[in-house]
């Protein structure tokens, strides 16, 4: 049987002049309504109420009716208040329920309402899960509400937790990105952000700037004019930063990944934000610091906490692999070790997205272990440049002045050898290693590099499931094994030994050999493996052999057949 929502009161501006409780009911009891109507003032209230709803202590402040009552007419006022809120839907039986809830909570309206809301939200979510078409017929109350909304507003109907985000989006315009972000007001009369008196975020990036908060000319993200004339707030994201005003001589410094500062008019501010980089002076120093950090109590305590979630943690490489590590870092970053985070990288492998989310929550609370969360990159929900899918957090270990990285992904997405579910994980992994540090020296190399980058993205789309199973299947059906089509050896490799190729330092040549070898050796059985093989073969055919040339014996046979037909 379908449950009715407990309340169908429409939220109107005049409600905000009534008591806090009335507000509370309107907003939370019928969260479908609250997103549609508000001005600046109501929005503030909605925010306040939602935050109170999440906080048991502050809920009492809203009602202000928690005084001890006499035994006679126990909780009469509270009952009256609650019933007034819910007149439309509380029948006699419901009245008993309210009374029961009040008694259970010693007359604390806050707690009673909260419990009722919990029940209500549960019943609402049940309704929302159902087919919206049938819902309309069976829910006359909601129909009435919906009639008063435009189509767009209907789309905005979301459960209460999402609305809070929606409000933020409405309240603030512009995207915050790593580096310095300034929040202020646009004064362009033609700008919608300005008309609605909305705060806009301006991203400056990694830079050093000086400004007088009420005399600025920053670019408005909405109207694109230099009309953000005042700054009221600063947000530093994923950076080592400092902020200083001419009133206080000492700058405030931090490397916490997310720091807000409010700005006072009448002062001059100096801001600086740098990308998170290692502080080590050379590679040896970096390795020593990282190894100390990995064995520190701080990291070990965090690990103990993480292990409770039954995940797989792959610890960074040990000293015995130092030579390999040095070689790799040298190859990737030249002599600049400041960008090297591989030394102290933990890979966390989770079973499912929910587990990954819990893990990130634990890591983000690393402050309790005297670690500083300095960078937070979510490439799990949005795509990274290579489409490799992970959520990474850089933790600063103050004791050793070094950053370690926690990179979390799903077990089924990793290409880490010994941990991967993917057939032949080395294929995409080595392919990536060959091309990532490659600096092409001519146009044909540049072309191959670009094609390789695209191919890597296609690999990761398959491995990390950015494309769905249906699409993976579609690619995999084109698979034909080497044993059937006989791949031809690229002419570039003729008369060259493996040693000569490796010693050549010619990445396009090394890559050609790698791709050819892989196509000859790799015999995939599973869906993802087959799809990856197809992508690699198509890359080989188009960019290594050349589209006009045969790439396999099967191609040669086809060409001969066509010629015969022509003759
Ligand atoms: Zn504007």
């Amino acid at each position: 049987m379908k449950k009715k929502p407990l309340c169908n009161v429409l939220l109107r501006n005049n409600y905000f002049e009534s008591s806090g409780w009335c507000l509370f009911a309107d907003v939370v009891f019928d969260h479908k309504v609250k997103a549609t109507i508000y001005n600046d003032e109501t929005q503030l209230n909605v925010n306040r109420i939602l935050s109170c709803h999440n906080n048991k202590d502050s809920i009492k402040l809203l009602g202000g009716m928690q005084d001890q009552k006499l035994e006679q007419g126990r909780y009469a006022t509270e009952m009256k208040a609650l019933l007034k809120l819910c007149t439309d839907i509380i029948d006699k039986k419901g009245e008993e329920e309210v009374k029961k809830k009040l008694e259970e909570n010693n007359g604390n309206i806050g707690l009673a309402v909260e419990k009722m809301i919990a029940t209500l939200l549960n019943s609402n979510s049940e309704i929302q899960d159902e087919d919206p078409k049938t819902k309309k017929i069976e829910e006359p109350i909601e129909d009435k509400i919906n009639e008063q909304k435009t189509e767009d507003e209907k789309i905005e109907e979301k459960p209460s937790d999402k609305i809070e985000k929606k409000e933020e989006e409405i309240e603030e315009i512009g995207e915050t990105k790593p580096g310095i972000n300034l929040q202020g007001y646009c004064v362009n009369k033609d700008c919608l952000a300005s008309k609605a008196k909305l705060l806009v975020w301006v991203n400056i990036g990694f830079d050093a700037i000086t400004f007088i908060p009420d005399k600025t000319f920053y670019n408005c993200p909405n109207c694109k004019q230099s009309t953000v004339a005042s700054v009221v707030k600063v947000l530093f994201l994923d950076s080592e930063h400092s902020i200083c005003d001419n009133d206080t001589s000492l700058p405030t410094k931090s490397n916490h990944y997310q720091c807000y500062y409010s700005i006072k008019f009448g002062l001059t501010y100096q801001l600086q934000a740098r990308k998170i980089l290692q502080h080590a002076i050379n590679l040896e120093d970096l390795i020593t610091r990282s190894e100390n950090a990995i064995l520190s109590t701080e990291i070990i305590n965090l690990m103990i906490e993480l292990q409770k979630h039954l995940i797989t943690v792959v610890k960074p490489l040990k000293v015995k692999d130092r030579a390999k590590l040095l070689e790799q870092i040298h190859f990737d970053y030249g002599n600049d070790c400041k960008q090297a985070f591989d030394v102290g990288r933990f890979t966390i492998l989770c079973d499912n997205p929910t587990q990954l989310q819990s893990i990130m929550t634990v890591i983000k609370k690393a402050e309790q272990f005297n670690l500083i969360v300095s960078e937070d990159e979510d490439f799990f929900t949005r795509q990274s440049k290579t489409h490799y899918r992970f959520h990474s957090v850089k933790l600063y270990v103050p004791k050793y002045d070094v950053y370690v990285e926690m990179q979390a992904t799903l077990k089924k997405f990793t290409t880490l050898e010994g941990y991967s579910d993917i057939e032949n994980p080395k294929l995409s992994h080595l392919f990536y290693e060959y091309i990532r540090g490659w600096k092409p020296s001519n146009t044909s190399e540049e072309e191959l590099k670009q094609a390789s980058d695209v191919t890597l993205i296609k690999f990761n789309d398959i491995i990390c499931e950015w494309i769905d199973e249906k699409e993976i299947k579609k690619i995999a059906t084109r698979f034909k094994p080497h044993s059937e089509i006989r791949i031809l050896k690229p002419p570039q490799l003729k008369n060259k030994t493996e040693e000569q190729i490796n010693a050549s330092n010619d990445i396009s040549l090394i890559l050609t050999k790698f791709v050819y070898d892989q196509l000859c050796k790799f015999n995939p059985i599973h869906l993802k493996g087959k799809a990856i093989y197809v992508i690699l073969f198509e890359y080989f055919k188009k960019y290594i052999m050349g589209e006009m040339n045969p790439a396999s014996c099967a191609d040669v046979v086809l060409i001969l057949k066509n010629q015969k037909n022509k003759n």
Side-chain angles (χ1 to χ4, degrees), residues 185-188 190-194 200 219-225 227-228:
Y185 288 102
C186 173
V187 291
N188 175 7
D190 298 325
C191 178
L192 276 176
S194 166
V200 296
N219 243 347
C220 169
N222 191 53
C223 64
K224 317 283 178 212
Q225 305 293 313
T227 40
V228 178

Side-chain angles (χ1 to χ4, degrees), residues 95 104 135 142 160 174 182 194 201 216 232 240 274 309 314 341 349 365 379 422 443 490 503-504 560:
E95 217 171 289
E104 277 170 13
K135 176 176 143 192
E142 292 204 359
S160 58
L182 304 174
S194 166
W201 278 114
T216 62
V232 294
E240 290 186 348
R274 283 188 311 259
H309 292 259
V314 186
F341 293 92
L349 303 174
K365 285 179 188 157
F379 292 130
I422 311 284
T443 40
S504 71
L560 289 175

Side-chain angles (χ1 to χ4, degrees), residues 10-12 31-39 135-136 142 144-159 163 166 170:
L10 263 175
L11 183 68
R12 298 211 186 279
H31 53 73
K32 300 206 160 213
V33 180
K34 71 181 170 182
T36 57
I37 318 153
Y38 48 70
N39 53 32
K135 176 176 143 192
K136 250 200 153 172
E142 292 204 359
K144 246 196 313 191
I145 295 162
N146 283 341
E147 274 163 26
Q148 298 171 41
K149 297 178 187 176
T150 65
E151 279 303 311
D152 283 351
E153 283 166 338
K154 277 184 202 170
I155 295 162
E156 280 179 16
E157 295 175 3
K158 295 266 168 66
I163 275 164
K166 195 87 215 165
I170 292 164

Side-chain angles (χ1 to χ4, degrees), residues 411-512:
K411 275 177 191 157
K412 61 175 177 175
F413 295 164
T414 188
T415 53
L416 212 62
E417 238 190 313
Y419 298 92
S420 183
D421 289 346
I422 311 284
E423 288 174 273
N424 191 12
K426 260 192 159 170
L427 193 161
S428 66
H429 189 73
L430 286 175
F431 189 86
Y432 166 64
E433 299 222 316
Y434 285 129
I435 62 171
R436 72 168 162 182
W438 186 11
K439 302 209 166 48
S441 52
N442 55 51
T443 40
S444 76
E445 276 192 12
E446 181 61 52
E447 215 173 291
L448 187 64
K449 167 83 162 72
Q450 274 177 23
S452 309
D453 287 341
V454 173
T455 303
L456 179 70
I457 287 173
K458 288 182 183 170
F459 288 158
N460 283 333
D461 283 346
I462 296 165
I463 294 167
C464 302
E465 296 172 15
W466 288 113
I467 60 173
D468 61 22
E469 205 184 326
K470 219 172 103 190
E471 280 180 85
I472 299 174
K473 263 186 190 154
K474 223 166 99 187
I475 300 168
T477 49
R478 302 202 292 267
F479 170 70
K480 286 195 181 92
H482 172 56
S483 58
E484 191 185 315
I485 57 168
R486 310 304 306 176
I487 313 270
L488 295 175
K489 189 169 185 171
Q492 299 94 305
L493 301 178
K494 295 264 162 70
N495 305 321
K496 284 192 180 88
T497 63
E498 196 171 341
E499 288 74 30
Q500 280 173 328
I501 293 167
N502 287 339
S504 71
N505 265 339
D506 177 349
I507 306 252
S508 67
L509 192 67
I510 294 169
L511 197 60
T512 299

Side-chain angles (χ1 to χ4, degrees), residues 235-380:
L235 165 65
F236 291 100
L237 278 180
D238 301 331
S239 60
E240 290 186 348
H241 58 263
S242 67
I243 178 167
C244 187
D245 60 57
N246 58 345
D247 206 25
T248 43
S249 51
L250 278 173
T252 308
K253 289 181 179 181
S254 172
N255 59 352
H256 188 275
Y257 78 107
Q258 190 183 44
C259 287
Y260 287 92
Y261 299 92
S262 54
I263 295 297
K264 280 184 228 149
F265 281 6
L267 297 173
T268 305
Y269 285 86
Q270 276 186 310
L271 272 53
Q272 198 177 39
R274 283 188 311 259
K275 203 176 154 40
I276 299 292
L277 292 173
Q278 297 288 13
H279 297 168
I281 45 171
N282 56 43
L283 266 179
E284 281 296 318
D285 181 32
L286 176 64
I287 292 173
T288 311
R289 289 182 196 219
S290 302
E291 282 177 347
N292 284 334
I294 290 160
L295 299 171
S296 67
T297 343
E298 290 85 345
I299 292 287
I300 288 169
N301 283 341
L302 173 65
M303 283 300 134
I304 292 169
E305 193 60 35
L306 288 176
Q307 298 285 9
K308 288 180 190 164
H309 292 259
L310 304 172
I311 36 127
T312 308
V313 179
V314 186
K315 293 202 174 89
L317 292 170
K318 293 240 171 61
V319 189
K320 64 179 165 71
D321 302 306
R322 198 181 269 221
K324 191 187 156 199
L325 200 66
L326 281 169
E327 191 192 324
Q328 192 199 327
I329 290 168
H330 186 77
F331 184 76
D332 288 343
Y333 312 108
N335 286 320
D336 183 17
C337 66
K338 299 212 179 297
Q339 295 180 58
F341 293 92
D342 329 42
V343 192
R345 177 183 295 149
F346 289 82
T347 307
I348 298 161
L349 303 174
C350 308
D351 290 324
N352 55 59
T354 319
Q355 197 183 42
L356 190 136
Q357 191 128 33
S358 331
I359 288 297
M360 293 327 294
T361 313
V362 175
I363 295 174
K364 294 262 196 78
K365 285 179 188 157
E367 239 89 324
Q368 59 179 312
F369 304 114
N370 298 318
L371 298 162
I372 297 166
V373 178
S374 295
E375 194 179 86
D376 175 29
E377 288 180 312
D378 180 6
F379 292 130
F380 192 80

